[in-house]
Amino acid sequence: MSLEVIILAAGKGSRMRSDLPKVLHELAGKPMLVHAIEQAQRLQPTRTHIIVGHGAHLVESVVRPLGAECVTQDQQLGTGHAVAQAMPKVDNNAIVLVLYGDVPLVPAVLMQQLAEQAAQGDLAILTVTLDDSSGYGRIVRDDGGNIQAIVEHKDANTDQLQIKETNTGILAVKASLLNGWLPRIKSNNAQGEIYLTDIVAMAVADGVGIRHLQPDFPQQTQGVNDRVQLASLERWHQLQQANQLLRDGVQLADPTRFDLRGELIAGKDIYIDINAIIEGHVQLGDGVHIGPNCHIKNAHIGAGTQILANSVIDQAQVAANCNIGPFARLRPGTILHDNAKVGNFVETKKTTLGKGSKANHFTYLGDTVVGEKVNIGAGTITCNYDGVNKYKTVIADGAFIGSNSSIVAPVTIGADATIGAGSTITRDVADGNLAIARGKQRNLATWAKPVKI
Ligand code: UD1
Ligand code: CA
């Protein structure tokens, strides 16, 4: 039986106090709505419909590349009305799974279980028991414990307000049943809204079985209404990810001071000190050591490499046994081969460092290809930009660049060449040559110090 997913994402989210639609606010570096879509897509639905309203164009631009279709809900008349907007596009024989764009952490396995129960002809709802159920729809059961209805907080009587089991809003049911119920929902309630939750009482009246599931953790079905809730959900999610990495054999100095915003593929015996931010797709080889306060994004770090404190790495390929930092910045297009060293206050961009080459202190290397066993002295700058165009520098194997040199590109420094300290190099240097391009030193023995008059 085919599955179609409907994700409600039309609301404004006023309490975020933001120009950005609420569902596009990020959790772990990814819009909340994208979390919901990605989990749902693990069930391989035939279609994913996103109900959009506030900020529709912006939301569409984010979800369309993911293969989701948007349905506009011009007026937010309630959750039942929202779902009804998508139904003309839904196959009447499909199972419908209803999700919320501001509930980012529902695991795919829970969605799958709901869909399976719905496939048996039942209405499957996800409920959660909370110490403080205020604001939520209450799950009303009869004396036999059978679910009878969902009553919204604002419509609940004093007895119903005591109920701790609440509606998460997430449910699955056959489209054919939904099509029968949706047009019959009335808005004669405290909020004058078309409540999707009314289908529960309709199902009971029609003799349709009601099944319910609960999440392992309430955070998995927690919706986000304001930035306080977003921040606390972020911390919970980060701690889950950190604990999983610990279980997988990655040593984190402190799981509460670790942030993964993307995917980390990790080898064995990796150590990550506090305040690391790992972003995008990052792969760490066996034995990698990451010092405190490092930001590593879309990078591949080879086995045995040491990244010392306060280093920033973005879109770089680092091979095995390299040394990076402290305070190094590897910008996009940096490639380090085995045993390369990039030390403190060194910035690299679109630059390759061959095996065993070193740039240990205060250096900028841009658009540069450095061969093997090259020593780049402190304060070396590749002058790759003339204000209009960028040019390449080539430094061949075994070259030695003296400290405080400016290498004005385009230029090639030959193999085993030496550049005298303080040189400004504007012409190619042949293999093995020494190039010195600096003012000559004069020592004046006859010089007399001025005296005070
Ligand atoms: C809803 C449920 C409530 C449940 C709670 C869980 C209903 C009637 N109530 O209440 O039982 O405990 O969620 O958080 O379903 N939306 C639209 N279009 C609309 C209305 C809502 O897209 O016309 C979206 C909102 O943007 C929001 C979500 O649906 O993301 C929930 O809507 P909201 O009005 O906040 O429902 P609650 O009052 O929270
Ligand atoms: Ca809500």
Side-chain angles (χ1 to χ4, degrees), residues 1 12 29 44 72 74 90 160 247 330 363 413 450:
M1 202 174 265
K12 185 161 181 230
Q44 298 180 313
T72 306
D74 292 321
V90 174
Q160 291 165 340
R247 285 191 287 268
L330 273 49
T363 285
I413 315 280

Side-chain angles (χ1 to χ4, degrees), residues 136-140 149-157 160 197:
Y136 295 103
R138 307 298 207 279
I139 308 298
V140 178
I150 296 176
V151 176
E152 291 304 297
H153 182 109
K154 286 182 179 155
D155 300 290
N157 62 35
Q160 291 165 340
T197 44

Side-chain angles (χ1 to χ4, degrees), residues 7-13 15 22-23 51-53 73 75-83 99-103 133 135-139 150-154 166-170 191 193-198 221-225:
I7 306 183
L8 275 53
K12 185 161 181 230
R15 279 177 283 168
K22 177 167 74 173
V23 294
I51 311 299
V52 293
Q73 185 193 24
Q75 276 182 294
Q76 277 80 63
L77 302 178
T79 48
H81 179 260
V83 169
L99 303 173
Y100 294 76
D102 57 1
V103 183
S133 55
Y136 295 103
R138 307 298 207 279
I139 308 298
I150 296 176
V151 176
E152 291 304 297
H153 182 109
K154 286 182 179 155
T166 69
N167 174 34
T168 66
I170 291 152
Q191 302 184 83
E193 284 182 14
I194 298 169
Y195 289 163
L196 179 61
T197 44
D198 284 2
T221 56
Q222 168 77 56
V224 168
N225 292 311

Side-chain angles (χ1 to χ4, degrees), residues 282-305:
V282 172
Q283 199 169 336
L284 303 177
D286 292 349
V288 166
H289 182 110
I290 299 176
N293 311 319
C294 290
H295 185 186
I296 302 175
K297 183 176 175 184
N298 295 321
H300 187 296
I301 312 292
T305 286

